[in-house]
Amino acid sequence: MIDDVLYEFMREQLATTSHDFVRYLYPQIDWTLRMFGLVGPRGVGKSTLIKQHIIFEKDNQKALYISADHSYFANHTLLEVASEWNKEGGTHLYIDEIHKYENWSTELKNIYDGYGALKVVFTGSSVLDLLKGQADLSRRAVMYTMQGLSFREYLEMFHSIKMPQYSLEDVLANKVDDTVLPHPLPLFRQYLQDGYYPFSKEGAFRSRLDQIITQTLESDIPQYASLSVSTGRKLRRLMAIVAQSAPFKPDYSSIANALGVSRNVVPDYLIYMERAGMIGQLRNETGGVRSLGKVEKTYLDNTNIMYALGADSTNKGNLRETFFFNQTRVVGDVISSGVSDFIIGDHTFEVGGKKKGKKQIEDVANGHIVKDDIEYGHGISIPLWTFGLLY
């Protein structure tokens, strides 16, 4: 029999969950799967998304929502809860913060194999730990990755401005409706500083973001890679360097000297930071998939982290490229260009300010100039902010 403490916890959680705004990933998820995971960096809204689904489907399923870091699991196991819930005719089990539970992947495997009628959804903020346990769930659980708010989502969530979602082709053709948001730049500037994470709406944003950065660099990554906490603190210094660069082109020897480590481990450190949602690495034409191809540039994951770490010394060119890379990677593989900044499919992009010229791409087929500080585009000149409407 399911303990009342778990029912009470679920009731409290659902009662405080807003469902006025739903993230971009919701309609992309196949909620009928027997088991899937929703993963991504800390603070992007994964827990809220699954609780919203429970609210929306309350008449269609018998659901139990639990958190793996609840004190209840000091003396009980997930497998026990799944067994009892199955006996009571439960149809869906939602497990939040799964990475905080020891041997989580083994128990999920046992739940999947032992209770065929039970659908299981789990979330995890520590992408690193989830990747480590994914092998146990191969062929069993699909993984969905979620990132922070797009500029379009920010407008709706924070300002009740509902912009349509546009395809990349529509953005490149300058088909964005200028009547919904006639003057986008002031809100765009605000988004760059504190609009990527939903918890910004709760106040004390910089302090909360700093806690996430610290937790990721000094706990998640060291725990995953068996590193010392002092090395995690060095990774934070590395992030500050990236924030202030224009943009950062990794020199592994220089990084190794700065961190006091072997040059051979630096690429691994950067991959850990990438998977944890702290940085993004732009690779060359030989491979746009993460961990493939030569790394040409390294960015912080999003502009909010740039402002948190770089403050007034944040490089504007880096800021623009970081936003573009962050927003467009949701809709396609973004790789480096030998003549410009980015390539997506058969399109080449040069990113700059409003006075940016066409010289670098004048001989490139499907070349585009992405300009900051302009409201609307024409021809091959595309406003930077419109790339925040892709998801």
Side-chain angles (χ1 to χ4, degrees), residues 113-267:
D113 294 341
Y115 306 104
L118 189 63
K119 289 183 169 60
V120 180
V121 179
F122 59 92
T123 76
S125 295
S126 179
V127 182
L128 296 161
D129 286 339
L130 289 167
L131 289 170
K132 182 184 288 186
Q134 196 168 347
D136 289 335
L137 298 176
S138 60
R139 302 184 303 280
R140 292 177 176 84
V142 173
M143 293 290 192
Y144 291 96
T145 301
M146 183 172 171
Q147 75 169 27
L149 297 172
S150 67
F151 180 49
R152 184 190 70 83
E153 291 182 301
Y154 163 78
L155 289 172
E156 181 174 349
M157 182 177 183
F158 284 73
H159 301 284
S160 300
I161 299 173
K162 293 189 176 183
M163 291 287 288
Q165 181 178 341
Y166 290 90
S167 68
L168 180 61
E169 296 301 325
D170 283 343
V171 169
L172 299 184
N174 283 308
K175 292 185 177 180
V176 173
D177 183 0
D178 61 3
T179 62
V180 180
L181 184 62
H183 299 295
L185 296 182
L187 292 178
F188 179 57
R189 299 282 167 250
Q190 192 63 46
Y191 165 83
L192 294 178
Q193 294 188 47
D194 56 24
Y196 186 72
Y197 294 92
F199 62 81
S200 173
K201 205 168 187 179
E202 301 170 14
F205 172 67
R206 287 290 171 84
S207 176
R208 291 169 182 258
L209 181 54
D210 185 74
Q211 290 174 7
I212 285 177
I213 296 170
T214 300
Q215 179 74 19
T216 302
L217 296 178
E218 298 185 14
S219 177
D220 293 348
I221 292 177
Q223 181 178 343
Y224 171 80
S226 300
L227 304 176
S228 66
V229 173
S230 63
T231 301
R233 292 174 182 147
K234 292 176 182 178
L235 297 182
R236 187 183 180 98
R237 293 205 298 271
L238 173 58
M239 286 184 62
I241 294 171
V242 174
Q244 298 165 26
S245 301
F248 185 74
K249 296 186 179 183
D251 179 332
Y252 296 149
S253 296
S254 297
I255 294 173
N257 289 334
L259 299 185
V261 298
S262 167
R263 182 190 184 282
N264 295 333
V265 302
V266 172

Side-chain angles (χ1 to χ4, degrees), residues 9-10 13-14 17 36-52 54 64-70 73 78 93-102 104 108 120-126 130 146:
F9 173 76
M10 179 173 68
Q13 290 293 309
L14 297 182
T17 298
F36 70 84
L38 180 58
V39 303
R42 295 176 178 274
V44 296
K46 301 178 298 298
S47 301
T48 298
L49 192 71
I50 65 167
K51 287 185 283 188
Q52 288 174 331
I54 295 171
L64 178 66
Y65 169 85
I66 59 179
S67 182
D69 66 346
H70 194 285
F73 291 104
L78 291 175
L93 178 62
Y94 296 86
I95 309 171
D96 209 357
E97 302 283 6
I98 192 75
H99 62 281
K100 296 183 178 179
Y101 183 90
E102 190 174 1
W104 63 269
L108 284 183
V120 180
V121 179
F122 59 92
T123 76
S125 295
S126 179
L130 289 167
M146 183 172 171

